[in-house]
Each structure stands twice: as structure tokens, then as C-alpha cells.
Amino acid sequence: MATVAMVLGLSLFLGWASLGAEAEPRPPNIVLLLMDDMGWGDLGVFGEPSKETPHLDQMAAEGMLFPNFYTANPLCSPSRAALLTGRLPIRNGFYTTNAHARNAYTPQEIVGGIPDSEFLLPELLKKAGYVNKIVGKWHLGHRPQFHPLKHGFDEWFGAPNCHFGPYDNKARPNIPVYRNWEMVGRFFEDFPINLKTGEANLTQIYLQEAVDFIKQQAHQQPFFLYWAVDATHAPVYASKSFLGTSQRGRYGDAVREIDDCVGKILKLLQDLGIQENTFVFFTSDNGAALISAPIQGGSNGPFLCGKQTTFEGGMREPAIAWWPGHIPAGRVSHQLGNVMDLFTTSLSLAGLKPPSDREIDGIDLLPAIVRGELIDRPIFYYRGNEMMAVRVGQYKAHYWTWSNSWEQFSQGIDFCPGQNISGVTTHSQEEHTKLPLLFHLGRDPGEKYPISFSSLEYQNVLLKIFPIVEEHKKTMIPAEPQLNVCNLAVMNWAPPGCEKLGRCLASPESKPEKCFWPH
Amino acid sequence: MATVAMVLGLSLFLGWASLGAEAEPRPPNIVLLLMDDMGWGDLGVFGEPSKETPHLDQMAAEGMLFPNFYTANPLCSPSRAALLTGRLPIRNGFYTTNAHARNAYTPQEIVGGIPDSEFLLPELLKKAGYVNKIVGKWHLGHRPQFHPLKHGFDEWFGAPNCHFGPYDNKARPNIPVYRNWEMVGRFFEDFPINLKTGEANLTQIYLQEAVDFIKQQAHQQPFFLYWAVDATHAPVYASKSFLGTSQRGRYGDAVREIDDCVGKILKLLQDLGIQENTFVFFTSDNGAALISAPIQGGSNGPFLCGKQTTFEGGMREPAIAWWPGHIPAGRVSHQLGNVMDLFTTSLSLAGLKPPSDREIDGIDLLPAIVRGELIDRPIFYYRGNEMMAVRVGQYKAHYWTWSNSWEQFSQGIDFCPGQNISGVTTHSQEEHTKLPLLFHLGRDPGEKYPISFSSLEYQNVLLKIFPIVEEHKKTMIPAEPQLNVCNLAVMNWAPPGCEKLGRCLASPESKPEKCFWPH
């Protein structure tokens, strides 16, 4: 945990006041609603045919929709690390160099986590007086030094890893659920998830945690709520009253429950009369996991492939900003956005400047959100240690392509089910750095029609893109990779608090090894 | 042209009055806005990422959206014949038996057209006092006996065939444009379409025709306006002021112009104060022509394949009903609908019953539209003379599959670009009548995951579907096919009125032959 004020001399400059917000005595509250593996195409307002997200659609009708919003990585952990640091995973260490262009994350055998040297959004917000809570999935490392309360959060209810399981607590322990510093139980034991029926009441618990926190803070200090629910990540789950209610099956049940919760959270803000002083942003950590579809995976709408890939389906995210009185209702912004922008934008809302001693990839979206401006900026699509693609305006250039290996594909692991674009959805890592594959995403959102190398359009666009990539690569200093080493001994055998519950488990002998990242 | 009242003894029963409409002295006007090759995914409200259809989205916000609306055939002519007769093409003759399961339409060498024995919607509406106008593409046969004014329309401005060309007027004549009984010029000559730039002002002319007719009829007899524009059919076009305005390229320019026109038409109805007495329905004739994408083709959103196929992308259509004061604003109906329902629904609005001497496939949607009811009915997916698939509830069973032949496919004709579902998007005609391929369209709108033959779900669903199909086949009496014979001599050499313009062309010798329908 860096001592921010000492290092940076952060000052309140209340930039938000000049952006249409009234000069209020305190900066606005910030609520980030971060979904897990929810796809762009899962919302009615983004064209899901069953149209089962009335509250999110209403949120869009009252707020601003971002159809061109991206994650920084097509996998959970790096995406979340990027969101909370405003930096690409290759800068904040949330990547691997064990092999080329591999997605890595934080299973419970991971040794690494978010480095102390990184400034996390809640750490910085504290300097502006914010009280910060994370509800749900952390995923930035589960060992003690990575605990969210050591990185700026004041409260936590949730789990450090994915809710996979059930494990036998011998070969692998079940994932612990924490309240603040200590575990209060484990998934599949104290917090049941019925893998057969899909029933779990976790989303309702996460809702209650959000409600309690908002009520507690409503008329106190400004607050930052990071609501990172995970019902749409396989194994998907829903409460009893939502199970079987969707036309889309179990995945849809999970979406419906979350949609209902979002409606309740927004209504609570209105009932408390703090809606005009609370900035709410809804998005997801990566594209829908088509590998789990159709029962346990969502939809990326018209976009190519899904989670794990740097095609649009892997990284284009549903996104809605809501801030009554500040955002004109029902607007659509074609601003190219990124989860990393939520870092910089949140700081801006708090009247803070981002750290100046390091590269920050996120930009302040407030001019786009409040004044409808369009800010020219590229989007970089990374997979592990490789910049796979870049988007500049409507054009996307692929410097590297692959979906997954022939070996994995032949085992039935398919990130692009039913989709095959010759030379694009390749099963070997194909380098195109000299002659990138170019698509116009306006005409061709599905990345189906590469623009001819010999066309004038290709040549003109590449002349514009090349220097942007060159500049990006020149200033890129990769951090030490944090996701290289795994060790069964570091799993959640004995989380803090286990001794009070008599639930500590014996860990095996420490045996660090290189993590295997097949994708 | 059948003499309807004589044959049927049609009586006004004013069924609409009992369905929430006030008992007004005259039935409501009817405006059908029928698009050409526009896809489900081309509207912002259905998830088109560029969100460039503000007026259609507003129409949905003020009306009712139908995400489960279908055409009766994945090709223009049979779809339009079905809409205007309320009957499947196999019943009204708009199909071919030259080969199995082939799409046929009305190019200018077609000998056939809409049979006199068919009752068309405008013919029937006349009996309730309606004045009927068609603006745009007719496509039910271009020879004199098939003229729209011989089938119930009172006015026509538009063309009998697609705006292909330009032809040389020697091997093939350019397509004539008619005002009422006579041609007033030809495409590419008097009505220019610039194939290089995409510029044509036809949509503006079609708008003006609609505006003039609505103004003329607003306070006269009830009217039926069939606005069948074709700017989104290749070669796509837009007026100068819309060219280059879309993020989606030329196809998007065409959509933007049409969207703007729809906004103007709805506003005109409001300005005239007749919006509560005018039922407006927007839909399209078949799925987006992916063969023409991305420059000249649209989007079918998350659905499989496109025009010409009986996959969802070929037959699921964008659909919006608008009738202020009668339809509650912003509703979504999951009613399974079909363009053929517009026939029966329009009759119901006019207080008429459909003909009772023949099978009518269209149902009256007013209970769904006005009262929000859900009517249980199957959807049959035909290609030529074959029932390829059926939808019952959320389930779709494919009895036959094919996209197009290997021969055509190897020539680069691809109705499913970038998509390949093993055993589904086949390039040979595959029969599955004994063991249909089954999909759940709620969980799997993209038809990517066939339900296991051995599952209980499969068995239960097929037990329900089989008798529905059996009943359908039992009552199916195919009409004499009208789209079997072609003859270069019947092309638009000398349309009525050509002599006044000095524009008659000499026709070649009559040589009837079997039309070749490769798809």
C-alpha cells in the first residue's frame, strides 16, 4: 500500500465542478457496477432478443450508453487490475511471460497479486475523504499482502477468487468468503451454490451489502462502492425466486436477478435523494464466455468470438453511465472508452489528479459524459505480454491473431463457437506486425471482412496507425510479471480468521512452479 | 382480380372497436412500412452498435417492439406475396417446383405473378372504404395482369422489379418506374442511381409520395399506405445529404435516410392529428443480405446466416407497431409474429374478416398488440416448396438444412459468411425429417448448439412439435407454382405508357424456359 499523499502531494482541484456539476460541498459518490463475463449482447438495450433487462435498459434511458467501451484484457484478473489502477496489465504486472501472448489470472495457486507499488483507485479516493467498499470478487491476489483492505478499501464482503468448486478441502480448499479482514465461511459450505440446480442466494447477499453501505454513507462522507458480482461467471447461479424466470435459461436467470438488483440500487439512491450526487457506471470485466454457452455463458451480440480473445467479442463491453441532473437522459456516446478510464474519471469526479510519476492509460471521460465531447484515443488489445491489436477511430488493426491452440481446440475448447474467419480466428499464433489485418468496425463490427492490403484505404489508415503503435511501444516499460509463479501451498488453506472458526486447513509443502497458461 | 364482395359476402363487423379502439365513425388508417433486405440487427433498438436509427428507436419507445417477428420466406417476392395475401407462398403460388427447396422471385424475365384467384389486402380493404396506395417496390409480377392497380391499389408510384442495372436496353431493359397505370421513366435513365457513389434521391421521392398521399387522405376516407422502399437492397443508395453520414458506410447511409423518413411520416401523422387513428407497422421482407455485406448488406445481429436461408438470420425481422392511444408506450411483445399477420390484423382493424374459403396463415395480432396477450402459434420456415423448419414456442426444429450448394459456395456466394455450424449450415440439402435438429432460441438465438437427440428435453419437445407439423402438412394444398417459367420476351420492353414517352423497346422472340433457381 503506497502512501499516496506523501509521494504525490495530491491536491483537490474539484475538476468535476467545472464540468456541469453544481459546486457542492462534497464530491459525488461513485458506484461501479462491474459484471463478470457478461457480454455486450446480454442487455436488451444492446439487442438481446429476449429483452429481459428492463432496469438496465431504463438506466440507459436515463443515462448515457457507450456502445464502444472496452476492457483492458479479455480475462477477469488483469481486467480488474487495470480498472483499479488505470493502467494496462503489462504496466501493473498483471500478466505472464511464461509463454507468448497468454492470458493469466489469479487462481488460488497463484503466488502473485497486485504489487504494493501500484496506486489503486480506492487508495487515492481516500485522500479526498471517500469511504470505499468492495462487494464481491476481488481477484487481485488472495495472499495477505494483496488483501483489498491493504489497498485502499475500508470494507469488503466477498471472495478473493472465482467461485469454482466444490473442492474437497484436501487437494484444493473451497474459496473463502471474507467480511473485511477475516474469512466468515467458504463457498459450497457456508455459502452454498447448488451446481445442479444453479441456486445460490449470493447476489441477494451482495445486494444487501450494497444497500447497507449506501444507506450508511448516504449522508456521511462521499463513498466509493465497487459492486463486483459474479453470478454470470460459470458456474452461473440465481436465487430461487429468479430461477426459471428467464427465456434464456440459467444464464438469463442470473442476468435477470442482477438487473433487478441494479434497479433496486438506483431506486435506493433516488429514495435517499442522493441520485444527483452519485455517479454510477455499469460495465463488465470481459466478453461473454462462449466456451460456457449456451447454459452458462452469455452473448456478445454481433461481435466475433468471446472471452480470452482480442476479437471484439472478447473485449467490447456493455457500458452505461448514470448521473441524473448531470448526464442528459437517453444519450449515446460513441466515445471509445475503457475500464481503465473509470480510474481516471473517478479521480476527476473526486477532484483528484491521477498519479504523475507513471504512465496512466485511462483517460478522464467526464468531457464525453457531461459535455458530449469525443476524445481521440486509441484502444490497445493485449493478451498477456503482447499487443495483439489496436483500434484507432473505426479501424482495428490486428498485429497478432489467435483464438486458442489446435491442441486445446481439438479438446473441445472453442472461444469462437460456430465462427470461423479464415486467417483471423487462427489456432496458431499468427504474426501480422508488418502487414496488420485491418477491419472497419462501423461497417463490419463482426470482423468478417479484412480490408484489402492493396487498397488505398488500407494504406492511408495504416499510415495513421503505425506511428500511434510505435509511440505506444516506445513508452511501454513492462512491469515485472506477477502471474508467472504458482504454488499449491499458497492456496486458501488458512485465511485470516480461520482459527476463530476452527476452519484452518493444513497446506501442502511449498513447491513453486511456473504456472501453465494454455490460452 | 377477384370480385370479393360477390364471392365472400364480406361484412363489416368492426372487431377493432372491441379491442380498445374507440368506436369511431371510420376504421383506422393503416401504414405498412416494409423494408427491403433490412436485417433484425440494423436498428439501434435491436443492438446495432452505431445506434443510428433514432426515429425508429423512438417509434419503439412510443409503440411496441416485436423481437420474435418473422417473414414467410427468406426472399423478397414470396415474402411480399405472403404479406399481401396472408398466406404462405406455397399456398398463393409464389414458389417454384423446378428444383427442391429453391427460393424463387420475380426478375423481369419471370412469366408469372400474383394469381387473380388470390385476394390481396388492398382489394379487401376497399370493401371497407379504404383508399390504397403502394409506394415503391411491387415485386408480385410486372406483366399487365399483375399490375397493382388490378389488385386493389388505387395509386402506385414505384417499380415492379428490383432496381438492378443499369441494363443496356438491348439485352435487358432498365426497370420502369410507374405512376399509377403507366410508366413515367426508367431507373438509371430518368431515375438515376449512381452505382459508383451510391447517390440516388429515390427515398426522398418515396417520402414525398407518402406525405402527399397521407395529406390527401387525412380527413377523407380511411387509407392504406404500403410504403415499400428499397434503398437497403443492393445496389444500396442514399440521397446526397445522407451519403457519408453513417459510421456504417453506404448501407448505413441508406438506413439513416429511411430512419429519417420514418420520423417524418410519424411526425406528419401527429401534425395532422391523426396519429390515434393510424396504425403503423414497420418491418422488413427478409433477413439482411450478407452476400452483399459489408458495403451493400446489413446486419442480422446475433442470428445465424442471412437472406435466402431458413436460419434465424434469414427470416427473423425487425418489427415495431405504433398506434398512440391504443398501444401502451415502450412495450415489448414476445408474440411470435409473421408478415402474413399484417394481412389479418389489417383486416381486423378495418372491421373485416379474412376470406373463409381458403387457408389463411396470418393471425390477428390485435389481442397481442392492444391487450398484451400471447397467442400460441407455430412459425413455418419455407424455402420454395419445402418446409425447412418450424418454431413452436422457444424451440425450432430443422427438418431440412442447407445454406447453398457447394458449387455456388465455391464461386464465393456465401449466405453465412464467417459462420459455420457443423451439420447445420450445410452445403448439401440434408434431410432431418425423422430426427429434426432442435434448438432453443431463447438460450441459443444463434442456432449454434443443437439439443442432444438423446435428451429428455429433445424427446418431450418433439412430441409436441410432430403433431403440429403433421397437421400443417395434412392441410397443405400447394397452389400451382407461378415462378417456374422465364422468358426474355416478357421483360419490361414496352410497359404501358411507353408509347407516350416514345420509349418502347422491341422485345426478342418469345422463348419460354424453366427458370434456373440455384438457391
Side-chain angles (χ1 to χ4, degrees):
Chain A
M1 181 170 46
T3 51
V4 179
M6 299 292 287
V7 175
L8 297 182
L10 282 171
S11 62
L12 287 165
F13 75 101
L14 294 175
W16 56 274
S18 64
L19 279 163
E22 287 165 33
E24 284 158 305
R26 54 177 243 175
N29 310 307
I30 299 163
V31 177
L32 297 186
L33 307 169
L34 185 72
M35 302 300 109
D36 203 343
D37 286 4
M38 191 182 282
W40 191 94
D42 277 325
L43 274 60
V45 70
F46 284 121
E48 202 292 311
S50 298
K51 291 266 179 192
E52 291 180 345
T53 54
H55 299 98
L56 286 163
D57 297 356
Q58 183 63 24
M59 182 183 177
E62 296 169 7
M64 183 175 271
L65 197 69
F66 290 85
N68 293 281
F69 200 85
Y70 289 88
T71 181
N73 196 273
L75 204 64
C76 320
S77 296
S79 166
R80 288 154 196 259
L83 187 159
L84 289 175
T85 61
R87 285 148 60 82
L88 284 165
I90 197 167
R91 291 199 219 271
N92 65 34
F94 257 60
Y95 74 108
T96 182
T97 52
N98 286 359
H100 179 249
R102 304 292 170 138
N103 295 315
Y105 73 110
T106 53
Q108 57 173 338
E109 59 267 37
I110 196 81
V111 170
I114 191 71
D116 247 11
S117 54
E118 290 298 314
F119 295 122
L120 266 63
L121 176 58
E123 271 179 273
L124 300 174
L125 289 177
K126 277 176 92 78
K127 306 300 161 184
Y130 279 71
V131 174
N132 309 307
K133 176 161 190 167
I134 166 174
V135 175
K137 182 165 155 183
W138 169 237
H139 232 203
L140 299 197
H142 60 285
R143 298 174 65 210
Q145 62 270 42
F146 307 125
H147 193 290
L149 270 57
K150 286 199 174 148
H151 290 268
F153 284 105
D154 300 295
E155 299 183 25
W156 180 26
F157 182 87
N161 313 86
C162 274
H163 56 286
F164 295 136
Y167 301 119
D168 61 4
N169 282 346
K170 290 186 181 104
R172 302 179 81 84
N174 274 321
I175 303 297
V177 175
Y178 282 73
R179 173 169 299 286
N180 302 328
W181 289 106
E182 296 184 345
M183 76 173 261
V184 289
R186 290 182 189 269
F187 285 141
F188 299 97
E189 299 173 33
D190 317 276
F191 297 92
I193 302 169
N194 188 321
L195 294 179
K196 205 177 155 95
T197 65
E199 184 179 343
N201 66 347
L202 288 165
T203 302
Q204 292 303 316
I205 296 176
Y206 295 147
L207 170 63
Q208 196 56 48
E209 289 290 326
V211 165
D212 291 347
F213 179 67
I214 291 170
K215 284 185 179 169
Q216 163 199 304
Q217 287 301 320
H219 303 293
Q220 308 288 327
Q221 290 157 273
F223 63 84
F224 168 49
L225 171 63
Y226 176 51
W227 197 64
V229 295
D230 56 6
T232 47
H233 187 297
V236 300
Y237 60 79
S239 301
K240 195 166 189 180
S241 60
F242 286 91
L243 277 179
T245 63
S246 168
Q247 298 180 52
R248 304 178 64 198
R250 189 179 296 181
Y251 182 87
D253 296 338
V255 173
R256 281 184 74 106
E257 182 166 17
I258 290 171
D259 177 72
D260 189 73
C261 290
V262 171
K264 289 199 165 88
I265 289 171
L266 298 186
K267 183 165 184 305
L268 174 64
L269 296 173
Q270 288 165 322
D271 289 348
L272 291 169
I274 58 172
Q275 74 277 14
E276 294 200 2
N277 200 29
T278 305
F279 175 87
V280 185
F281 203 94
F282 174 95
T283 190
S284 182
D285 63 345
N286 47 246
L290 300 186
I291 184 75
S292 306
I295 306 290
Q296 308 257 356
S299 164
N300 297 314
F303 298 120
L304 184 62
C305 302
K307 177 179 177 180
Q308 299 272 9
T309 79
T310 48
F311 303 112
E312 290 299 288
M315 294 186 62
R316 185 97 69 122
E317 304 304 328
I320 309 169
W322 186 89
W323 191 16
H326 303 274
I327 302 175
R331 296 287 170 92
V332 175
S333 170
H334 288 293
Q335 175 63 45
L336 303 195
N338 196 294
V339 294
M340 298 182 294
D341 302 341
L342 299 175
F343 172 88
T344 309
T345 304
S346 296
L347 291 181
S348 178
L349 286 164
L352 299 171
K353 284 185 169 156
S356 58
D357 66 337
R358 58 194 68 198
E359 289 287 336
I360 300 290
D361 298 286
I363 64 169
D364 180 2
L365 288 180
L366 284 188
I369 293 174
V370 176
R371 290 199 300 259
E373 294 178 9
L374 278 181
I375 306 153
D376 193 21
R377 65 90 68 91
I379 298 289
F380 297 101
Y381 303 67
Y382 270 83
R383 186 161 175 174
N385 59 347
E386 188 59 77
M387 192 207 81
M388 305 285 287
V390 60
R391 175 174 178 178
V392 174
Q394 290 283 1
Y395 291 98
K396 179 175 178 182
H398 289 270
Y399 280 62
W400 285 84
T401 54
W402 79 306
S403 55
N404 64 347
S405 68
W406 281 116
E407 193 189 345
Q408 292 272 310
F409 184 63
S410 66
Q411 289 165 22
I413 298 173
D414 190 352
F415 297 145
C416 313
Q419 300 178 313
N420 173 40
I421 318 294
S422 179
V424 180
T425 55
T426 57
H427 289 291
S428 50
Q429 297 192 351
E430 297 292 332
E431 184 170 2
H432 313 275
T433 52
K434 295 272 187 317
L435 212 59
L437 298 181
L438 188 68
F439 295 90
H440 186 286
L441 295 177
R443 298 195 300 259
D444 175 24
E447 294 167 285
K448 288 184 170 62
Y449 307 94
I451 294 170
S452 166
F453 296 134
S454 61
S455 67
L456 192 62
E457 183 180 18
Y458 183 91
Q459 293 161 37
N460 287 339
V461 172
L462 264 291
L463 277 177
K464 194 176 166 196
I465 288 181
F466 272 138
I468 291 169
V469 171
E470 198 179 353
E471 176 66 20
H472 176 70
K473 297 214 161 183
K474 211 167 62 185
T475 62
M476 175 55 69
I477 303 163
E480 194 187 329
Q482 302 296 316
L483 307 181
N484 278 355
V485 184
C486 288
N487 187 342
L488 296 180
V490 306
M491 295 202 291
N492 295 289
W493 301 107
C498 70
E499 63 290 347
K500 291 187 196 162
L501 303 171
R503 301 282 286 282
C504 302
L505 301 167
S507 74
E509 200 183 344
S510 175
K511 198 178 144 204
E513 47 196 357
K514 274 173 91 169
C515 306
F516 173 61
W517 304 118
H519 307 128
Chain B
M1 178 169 46
T3 51
V4 179
M6 297 292 287
V7 176
L8 296 181
L10 280 171
S11 62
L12 286 165
F13 75 100
L14 294 174
W16 56 274
S18 64
L19 279 164
E22 288 164 32
E24 283 157 306
R26 55 175 247 176
N29 311 307
I30 298 164
V31 177
L32 297 186
L33 308 170
L34 185 71
M35 302 301 109
D36 203 344
D37 286 5
M38 192 182 281
W40 191 95
D42 277 327
L43 274 61
V45 70
F46 284 121
E48 203 291 312
S50 297
K51 290 268 177 191
E52 291 180 345
T53 54
H55 299 98
L56 287 163
D57 298 356
Q58 182 64 24
M59 182 182 177
E62 295 169 8
M64 184 176 270
L65 197 70
F66 290 85
N68 293 281
F69 200 85
Y70 289 88
T71 181
N73 195 272
L75 204 63
C76 319
S77 295
S79 165
R80 287 154 197 260
L83 186 158
L84 288 176
T85 61
R87 284 149 60 80
L88 283 165
I90 196 165
R91 291 199 219 271
N92 64 32
F94 257 61
Y95 74 109
T96 182
T97 52
N98 286 359
H100 178 248
R102 304 293 170 140
N103 296 315
Y105 73 110
T106 54
Q108 57 173 338
E109 59 267 38
I110 197 82
V111 170
I114 191 72
D116 247 11
S117 54
E118 289 298 315
F119 295 122
L120 266 63
L121 176 58
E123 271 178 273
L124 301 174
L125 289 178
K126 277 174 94 76
K127 307 299 162 185
Y130 279 70
V131 174
N132 309 307
K133 177 161 191 167
I134 166 173
V135 175
K137 182 166 156 182
W138 169 236
H139 232 202
L140 300 197
H142 60 284
R143 297 174 67 208
Q145 62 269 44
F146 307 126
H147 193 290
L149 270 57
K150 287 201 176 146
H151 290 269
F153 283 104
D154 300 294
E155 300 183 25
W156 181 25
F157 182 87
N161 313 86
C162 274
H163 57 287
F164 297 136
Y167 303 117
D168 60 6
N169 283 344
K170 292 189 179 99
R172 302 179 81 84
N174 276 324
I175 303 297
V177 174
Y178 282 72
R179 173 170 300 286
N180 302 327
W181 289 105
E182 297 184 344
M183 78 173 259
V184 287
R186 292 183 189 268
F187 285 140
F188 298 98
E189 299 173 35
D190 317 275
F191 297 91
I193 302 169
N194 189 321
L195 294 178
K196 205 176 154 96
T197 65
E199 185 179 342
N201 66 347
L202 288 165
T203 302
Q204 291 304 314
I205 297 175
Y206 295 148
L207 170 63
Q208 195 57 48
E209 290 290 327
V211 166
D212 291 347
F213 178 68
I214 291 169
K215 283 184 180 169
Q216 162 199 305
Q217 287 301 321
H219 303 293
Q220 308 288 328
Q221 291 157 274
F223 65 83
F224 167 47
L225 171 63
Y226 176 49
W227 197 64
V229 294
D230 57 5
T232 47
H233 187 296
V236 301
Y237 60 79
S239 301
K240 196 167 187 179
S241 61
F242 286 92
L243 278 179
T245 63
S246 168
Q247 297 179 52
R248 303 178 63 199
R250 189 179 296 180
Y251 181 87
D253 296 339
V255 173
R256 282 183 73 106
E257 183 166 16
I258 290 172
D259 175 72
D260 189 72
C261 291
V262 171
K264 288 197 166 88
I265 289 172
L266 299 186
K267 184 167 184 303
L268 174 64
L269 296 173
Q270 286 164 322
D271 289 347
L272 292 168
I274 58 172
Q275 74 277 12
E276 295 199 2
N277 200 29
T278 306
F279 175 86
V280 185
F281 203 93
F282 175 95
T283 190
S284 183
D285 63 347
N286 47 246
L290 300 186
I291 185 76
S292 306
I295 305 292
Q296 308 257 358
S299 164
N300 296 314
F303 299 120
L304 185 62
C305 301
K307 178 179 176 178
Q308 300 271 9
T309 79
T310 49
F311 303 112
E312 291 298 288
M315 295 188 60
R316 184 97 69 120
E317 304 304 326
I320 309 169
W322 185 90
W323 192 14
H326 303 273
I327 303 174
R331 295 288 171 91
V332 175
S333 170
H334 288 292
Q335 175 63 45
L336 303 195
N338 196 295
V339 294
M340 298 181 293
D341 302 341
L342 299 175
F343 173 87
T344 309
T345 304
S346 296
L347 291 181
S348 178
L349 285 165
L352 299 171
K353 282 185 170 156
S356 57
D357 66 338
R358 58 196 65 198
E359 289 286 338
I360 300 289
D361 298 287
I363 64 169
D364 180 2
L365 288 180
L366 283 187
I369 292 174
V370 176
R371 291 200 299 259
E373 293 178 8
L374 278 181
I375 306 153
D376 193 20
R377 65 92 66 93
I379 297 289
F380 297 101
Y381 302 67
Y382 270 83
R383 187 162 175 173
N385 59 347
E386 187 59 78
M387 193 208 79
M388 304 287 286
V390 59
R391 176 174 177 177
V392 174
Q394 290 284 1
Y395 291 97
K396 179 175 178 182
H398 290 269
Y399 281 61
W400 286 84
T401 53
W402 81 305
S403 55
N404 64 348
S405 69
W406 280 116
E407 192 189 347
Q408 292 272 310
F409 185 64
S410 66
Q411 289 165 22
I413 296 172
D414 190 353
F415 297 145
C416 313
Q419 299 178 313
N420 173 41
I421 317 294
S422 180
V424 181
T425 54
T426 57
H427 290 291
S428 50
Q429 296 191 354
E430 298 292 332
E431 183 171 2
H432 313 276
T433 52
K434 295 271 188 317
L435 212 58
L437 298 182
L438 188 69
F439 295 90
H440 186 285
L441 295 178
R443 298 195 300 259
D444 176 23
E447 294 167 285
K448 288 183 170 64
Y449 307 95
I451 293 170
S452 166
F453 296 133
S454 61
S455 66
L456 193 63
E457 183 180 18
Y458 183 91
Q459 294 163 38
N460 286 339
V461 172
L462 264 292
L463 277 177
K464 194 175 165 195
I465 288 180
F466 273 137
I468 292 170
V469 171
E470 199 179 355
E471 176 67 19
H472 175 71
K473 297 211 162 186
K474 210 166 60 186
T475 63
M476 174 56 67
I477 303 163
E480 194 187 331
Q482 302 296 315
L483 307 181
N484 278 354
V485 184
C486 287
N487 186 343
L488 296 181
V490 306
M491 295 202 290
N492 295 288
W493 303 107
C498 70
E499 62 290 349
K500 290 188 197 161
L501 303 172
R503 302 282 288 280
C504 301
L505 302 167
S507 75
E509 199 184 345
S510 176
K511 197 178 146 203
E513 48 194 358
K514 276 174 90 169
C515 306
F516 172 60
W517 303 119
H519 307 130

